[in-house]
Amino acid sequence: MSTEFAAVDAELMSRGYTRMVFDLDRIAQLLDLLGSPQRAYPSIHLTGTNGKTSTARMIDSLLRAHGLHTGRYTSPHLETVRERITLDGEPVSERRFVATYREVAPLAAFVDERSDEPLTYFDMTTALAFATFADAPVDVAIVEVGLGGAEDSTNVINAGVAVITPIGLDHTEWLGDTIEDIALAKAGIIHKGATVITAAQDDEAARPILERVAEVGATIAREGSEFGVLSRAVAVGGQVLSIQGLGGVYEEVFLPLHGAHQAQNAALALAAVEAFLGAGTARQLDPEVVREGFTGTSSPGRLERVRTAPTILLDGAHNPHGMAATVTALQEEFAFSRLVAVLAVLADKDAAGLLELLEPVVDAVVVTRNTSPRAMSVERLAAVAEEIFGEARVEVAANMPDAIEQAVALAETDVNGELSGVGVLITGSVATVADARRLLVR
């Protein structure tokens, strides 16, 4: 890491990594001063509770396979803030990041002086992304909301294609206590004339989405009606799909990711790209190009295998909705004779909900804490785990290195030297995955 980049990173962090202020005025002012870079290219905007980043990465890969220059903005990051802003699938260089920051920072200071609250970390990275994409330039931006939709800093792009992944309960302290409230907030990314690509939703979530579509005169395509997964088969390193798209059926699509939830994300991504490129009932995309796009997809920290013998998987599931998908994928696609989980969660998450879903599929759990300042204490997490697993199946570790060591030892217990069916799952938060990746991925 260069000294210059480290200084910029520290300046960004000083804004409060987790500080949230829901007010679009400040980001709008900053972007106006920058010459509205977000208007320099068309965008695809994604919201939902789970699957946003994986779907964004698939959309990115599909568009690049079609010869387009892409900019992608996702969050949070695993190792470096540069991961949030990618050009043609690669994180921006330190040099470009610093140069863009130096252009944006004086204007941000000007906005800060005239506001009750300074711009947030997320406001700043959003502005940096939009400015980077305009400068590149890109043909299309794929933009993931940070939280919610209507009042999220990204909701200044008025995207022509809006993608909504499955909606569940999460971030209730900010978005509301019901699925309906959360869906209402997320439906705010739908603007006049947009095409909406939505996953199958519960009635509670579907209602606000359909009302918003009608209100602004948008067009909607729904999973299960206009598009969806027709079939899926487990394959080495992923799965093979048949997908009904908006323009036709795409057969023999290899997706190097595990789980029915990733197949669903693939259908969403394909429909979004068809909508963006103008394919529809009269025309479908070239199936070979689509296959190429999906083959090039990756999603770090989503049932990502980082070690073998024993197998170590990293998964960023941080709410019950996401953990249910992970557990289903584990049962369908992995044949572990013995599986131990390492769990570290944030203090505001439903730890009991996560543990209840894990309990039937893991032999033991090692609870620890991640390095996030919002991490749940080990003592509190252990107490919850012992209620669900029983004391004999719970171990405690003060930190991630110790937790991984204990989990591997536990997994290898009583297997007579045969490690082929032995596994460790490290999960509970993106912060947990980030900590584990720093230790395990070279």
Side-chain angles (χ1 to χ4, degrees):
M1 185 190 294
S2 72
T3 310
E4 266 196 301
F5 177 73
V8 164
D9 199 30
E11 279 185 43
L12 278 172
M13 289 296 282
S14 71
R15 289 182 174 273
Y17 184 72
T18 57
R19 183 171 64 90
M20 294 184 191
V21 183
F22 297 105
D23 175 10
L24 293 182
D25 286 346
R26 296 181 334 284
I27 183 77
Q29 286 177 50
L30 177 57
L31 292 170
D32 283 349
L33 292 169
L34 286 165
S36 300
Q38 77 281 12
R39 301 271 174 260
Y41 39 80
S43 297
I44 298 173
H45 205 178
L46 296 96
T47 189
T49 300
N50 291 301
K52 297 186 293 296
T53 300
S54 292
T55 306
R57 294 178 74 100
M58 291 182 206
I59 291 171
D60 190 348
S61 190
L62 284 167
L63 290 170
R64 281 186 282 118
H66 282 88
L68 297 180
H69 289 295
T70 61
R72 185 180 76 239
Y73 179 54
T74 56
S75 60
H77 58 268
L78 289 173
E79 291 172 38
T80 168
V81 65
R82 295 185 296 106
E83 293 168 28
R84 295 180 180 226
I85 305 169
T86 72
L87 293 172
D88 293 328
E90 294 297 324
V92 292
S93 66
E94 289 188 1
R95 186 177 174 183
R96 188 189 280 268
F97 191 96
V98 169
T100 308
Y101 180 83
R102 296 292 181 221
E103 290 173 16
V104 173
L107 300 174
F110 181 81
V111 173
D112 288 345
E113 286 168 13
R114 284 151 183 76
S115 306
D116 295 336
E117 281 271 1
L119 290 149
T120 65
Y121 181 97
F122 189 74
D123 289 334
M124 285 294 287
T125 57
T126 301
L128 290 171
F130 294 161
T132 301
F133 299 159
D135 186 55
V138 301
D139 298 316
V140 54
I142 304 108
V143 179
E144 176 192 324
V145 303
L147 196 151
E151 296 182 318
D152 187 76
S153 300
T154 62
N155 200 28
V156 290
I157 54 177
N158 292 8
V161 177
V163 179
I164 305 178
T165 68
I167 294 173
L169 284 174
D170 199 13
H171 300 299
T172 52
E173 64 273 44
W174 291 294
L175 301 179
D177 294 331
T178 67
I179 297 284
E180 193 164 8
D181 287 340
I182 292 168
L184 186 63
K186 293 181 186 296
I189 73 163
I190 302 169
H191 294 279
K192 185 177 180 180
T195 300
V196 181
I197 307 296
T198 179
Q201 306 285 0
D202 293 340
D203 288 346
E204 266 188 289
R207 203 175 308 115
I209 294 168
L210 291 170
E211 286 170 359
R212 176 70 177 175
V213 165
E215 179 191 335
V216 300
T219 304
I220 190 166
R222 290 163 288 192
E223 181 195 7
S225 297
E226 287 77 23
F227 69 93
V229 178
L230 296 176
S231 66
R232 53 184 290 267
V234 176
V236 176
Q239 53 192 310
V240 175
L241 311 175
S242 173
I243 303 173
Q244 172 67 60
L246 302 178
V249 175
Y250 301 82
E251 304 274 10
E252 296 295 311
V253 174
F254 175 68
L255 181 69
L257 299 170
H258 298 284
H261 59 299
Q262 294 290 16
Q264 178 185 41
N265 292 339
L268 280 169
L270 179 56
V273 170
E274 284 182 303
F276 181 81
L277 295 176
T281 50
R283 184 173 77 86
Q284 80 175 107
L285 302 176
D286 182 336
E288 274 308 310
V289 179
V290 167
R291 290 187 193 105
E292 179 193 334
F294 277 121
T295 300
T297 296
S298 66
S299 199
R302 272 71 179 180
L303 276 176
E304 178 187 16
R305 189 193 300 255
V306 293
R307 284 283 192 276
T308 54
T311 295
I312 300 182
L313 300 173
L314 307 183
D315 192 85
H318 59 276
N319 54 41
H321 191 272
M323 188 60 80
T326 295
V327 165
T328 300
L330 284 170
Q331 291 172 310
E332 289 180 357
E333 301 187 28
F334 296 88
F336 290 115
S337 56
R338 183 168 174 80
L339 180 64
V340 175
V342 172
L343 187 75
V345 304
L346 301 185
D348 60 342
K349 297 299 178 182
D350 180 5
L354 299 179
L355 284 156
E356 281 165 1
L357 287 159
L358 277 173
E359 192 277 330
V361 296
V362 304
D363 295 276
V365 62
V366 180
V367 299
T368 187
R369 64 171 291 150
N370 55 47
T371 53
S372 168
R374 293 164 54 209
M376 183 178 289
S377 72
V378 176
E379 296 76 17
R380 183 175 153 204
L381 186 55
V384 178
E386 285 172 6
E387 278 184 28
I388 293 162
F389 276 71
E391 272 187 56
R393 293 168 65 202
V394 177
E395 289 210 7
V396 174
N399 54 50
M400 185 60 66
D402 290 351
I404 294 171
E405 192 176 325
Q406 284 175 231
V408 169
L410 268 176
E412 292 175 349
T413 303
D414 301 326
V415 292
N416 302 317
E418 179 55 60
L419 300 182
S420 60
V422 172
V424 171
L425 170 70
I426 302 172
T427 188
S429 168
V430 173
T432 302
V433 167
D435 289 349
R437 270 187 127 257
R438 278 192 286 273
L439 296 166
L440 297 169
V441 179
R442 291 185 181 88

